[in-house]
Each structure stands twice: as structure tokens, then as C-alpha cells.
Amino acid sequence: MTDQPRLAQPSAFAAGVPRNADLPLTPQPSPGRGSVPFDLPGVHVGTAEYGEGPTGCTVIHVPAGARTAVDARGGAVGMSGGYDFNHAVCLAGGSVYGLAAATGVSDELLARRENRTRWDDLQLVSGAVIYDFSCRDSAVYPDAELGRAALRGAREGLFPVGRCGAGRTASAGKVEFGRAEFAGQGAAFGAFGEAKVLVATVVNAVGAVVDRNGTIVRGNYHAGEGARRHPRDDYAATIGEPAPAVMGNTTLTVMVTNVRLTDGELLQVGRQVHSSMHRGIQPFHTLTDGDVLFAMTTDEVDLAGVKPTALGTLASEVAWDAILSAVE
């Protein structure tokens, strides 16, 4: 229930905390509070975590490959690859160090191709990361072994949600960090005739999460008042005063559809959906966010009657559901 606060304890950022090389790390399952079912044949999802972080990663694997458009916004993007065709996308905590998880996914896919390296056997993997050190006292990050574990555990038809995978220690609503609350990873699926859309998002935003009634449901919690406030009220009160920005944020999103679109249409639908997410996360795409959306299509159905704008509009509602799913 989002009406119960779950304040994120700020990190002490102490020197000498353990990192991966200091611990006998073993990848663990990261099931979250449950899973969202989806019907997109050929799309597999896996999660894994290090409890010692805690931190984790999420892998979306499309063995046949999927055309991809990337929309990256904000002032602090952390991404690798960014290809226009991918066999997997790896989302991870650990900030820049967590990009190592994508290399493990690549290595596992190479092994599955029996180490064949002909150009048309190459497996393309893009990665993106959130900064999740803000509310944990360790330097443990998702590495190649954790990426391999997430891919090995990937299954069709279910997307784990809650405080799991890349969203294991995500937080939101950071006008001041003492008001931040734990968020997580969310997903939602929509079918509109033959057109299908899956949206999954890891919410680790400066902004607070807003429901369709305009109510703040996660983040910017004022303990003294026992209530959440819209960030605009706090920002209005600080105009003209020194107010250091809370660093280390980012929301990562993957949208997968089965509708065949041109490259230009896929990019524009992705941008439309990404822009729409400001309704559920306020503010969004800030100077200290590094928001990334991967728009992917399996090219399964050719629906000449489906206008990209209509698909983007419907997918935008699915995206809002995914945001709310991330903070339940």
C-alpha cells in the first residue's frame, strides 16, 4: 500500500565499505512482490541480485532480436550500446560500475552461440544503469556474473515487480534526500486487438510518483507532517535560496510492442511514451536524472490501420500503470 511511508535511509558514503572483490558474492533470485503477466511470445525476462548491496539487475532477452529505438534524456545518462537492434537489454543498479552486468549478458549469449563469432552470429546487448548508492552503505555493484545469472533465470510471460532486479534499492521523491522513499521496478501490459504493448520501468527519480487523481503516492514525504507533498510546493518555497540538487537518480524504461513500425515511427512512439511519463513522475527528465527508454518491436504483426500516434497514446497509459506498479 502506497499510503504507508517507506523512507530511504541516506548512505553515509563512508570510505572502506566492501566492494565486489572484498566479498564472496553469490547471485540470488530477485522475485520482488510478484510478477505481471504479459503475452509477447519470444520475450524473456530475468532478474538477479546481490543481497550484500543490496543491488540487482534485470534482463529483457529477445532471442530472435528486436529493432530498437533509444530515447535518452536528462543530464546524467549512464548507458552502453544504444544499438538500433538488440538481442537483450540489461538494466542495473550500481551506476557506472553496474554497466559491467551487460558484459555478462553478452558473454552468456556468446556461449549460447557456441562461441561463433561470424558477424551475423554476434549478439547485441545494450545496458543502462541507475545510481542506487544513495541509500545503501556498500560499494557492491551488479557485475558480469550477476548479468549472467539474470539471463539464465529469464522466462517468457512474466515480469517481476517491486523491490527487485534493477529496482532493488531504487528511490523516488528527492527534493531533499531525507524525504525520499523506496520505489522499485514496475510493469504493465496492454492488448488492443492484435496490438500488444509491454512497458517496464525502474523508478529511481528526483521526482515523486503521482497517480491519476493527482495525488503523490510515493516520495517527498514530510515526516513532521506525516504526509507527502507535491515537489512544486517545496521548490516554490526555495526560489532564490541555495538548494543543492540531490544527485544520483534516473528512471529506466523498456517498451516492447509486437506492431511492425518503421524505424522513424518506432522512435517517435518511444519519444511519445517517454514524454507522457512526466504525468506519473514529477518532475521528470531533470538535470540530475539520466532517463532512458528503449522502444523495441518484435515485428510480429503488420497492422496497417494502426496509427503510430494512437499506439503511442495507448502505450502511454500502460506506462503510467507501470510507474504506479513500481511503487506499490
Side-chain angles (χ1 to χ4, degrees):
M1 294 291 292
T2 53
D3 57 346
Q4 297 299 314
R6 52 186 193 207
L7 290 173
Q9 181 66 38
S11 174
F13 294 113
V17 295
R19 62 186 177 93
N20 294 43
D22 302 322
L23 298 168
L25 296 175
T26 300
Q28 303 168 16
S30 192
R33 67 169 188 278
S35 296
V36 169
F38 65 89
D39 179 22
L40 283 169
V43 178
H44 305 244
V45 179
T47 55
E49 67 179 70
Y50 285 140
E52 294 86 350
T55 189
C57 65
T58 301
V59 174
I60 298 92
H61 178 213
V62 185
R67 287 188 300 113
T68 307
V70 181
D71 189 45
R73 307 189 189 187
V77 173
M79 181 174 64
S80 63
Y83 305 120
D84 58 10
F85 188 88
N86 286 280
H87 296 90
V89 170
C90 179
L91 311 179
S95 190
V96 293
Y97 308 112
L99 290 170
T103 68
V105 176
S106 294
D107 186 65
E108 176 68 15
L109 291 177
L110 174 60
R112 293 184 183 188
R113 303 294 287 183
E114 298 180 330
N115 299 344
R116 293 192 295 268
T117 55
R118 180 183 162 87
W119 68 270
D120 53 355
D121 278 313
L122 299 180
Q123 300 291 284
L124 299 176
V125 180
S126 290
V129 292
I130 66 167
Y131 182 97
D132 62 352
F133 293 116
S134 299
C135 42
R136 57 187 180 92
D137 290 317
S138 82
V140 174
Y141 58 89
D143 56 14
E145 191 56 38
L146 199 66
R148 290 187 193 95
L151 178 59
R152 289 169 182 166
R155 300 290 181 269
E156 272 190 312
L158 292 172
F159 209 112
V161 295
R163 294 185 60 192
C164 61
R168 179 64 179 83
T169 313
S171 57
K174 306 166 196 171
V175 176
E176 290 183 2
F177 195 82
R179 302 178 202 157
E181 291 186 86
F182 284 117
Q185 170 175 288
F189 175 74
F192 312 97
E194 291 183 80
K196 300 175 182 178
V197 179
L198 169 71
V199 179
T201 187
V202 179
V203 178
N204 189 61
V206 171
V209 175
V210 184
D211 69 11
R212 285 180 169 83
N213 296 319
T215 302
I216 304 296
V217 294
R218 188 68 69 199
N220 200 30
Y221 183 82
H222 288 248
E225 301 173 11
R228 301 180 181 93
R229 287 211 307 239
H230 196 292
R232 66 174 173 247
D233 300 327
D234 294 290
Y235 287 132
T238 61
I239 292 296
E241 298 178 6
V246 178
M247 309 300 288
N249 307 289
T250 286
T251 295
L252 304 177
T253 305
V254 177
M255 182 197 80
V256 187
T257 182
N258 65 339
V259 178
R260 183 185 299 276
L261 301 166
T262 67
D263 290 344
E265 289 170 342
L266 182 61
L267 176 59
Q268 195 57 44
V269 169
R271 286 174 173 169
Q272 184 179 342
V273 172
H274 210 192
S275 294
S276 80
M277 291 173 66
H278 81 275
R279 298 178 299 170
I281 302 172
Q282 298 183 24
F284 198 39
H285 302 328
T286 75
L287 186 63
T288 56
D289 283 301
D291 306 322
V292 180
L293 181 143
F294 297 92
M296 310 176 76
T297 177
T298 62
D299 286 324
E300 183 182 0
V301 296
D302 191 353
L303 301 179
V306 175
K307 293 181 172 60
T309 300
L311 180 64
T313 301
L314 296 170
S316 294
E317 295 304 313
V318 178
W320 202 342
D321 288 337
I323 292 168
L324 296 175
S325 165
V327 300
E328 288 182 13

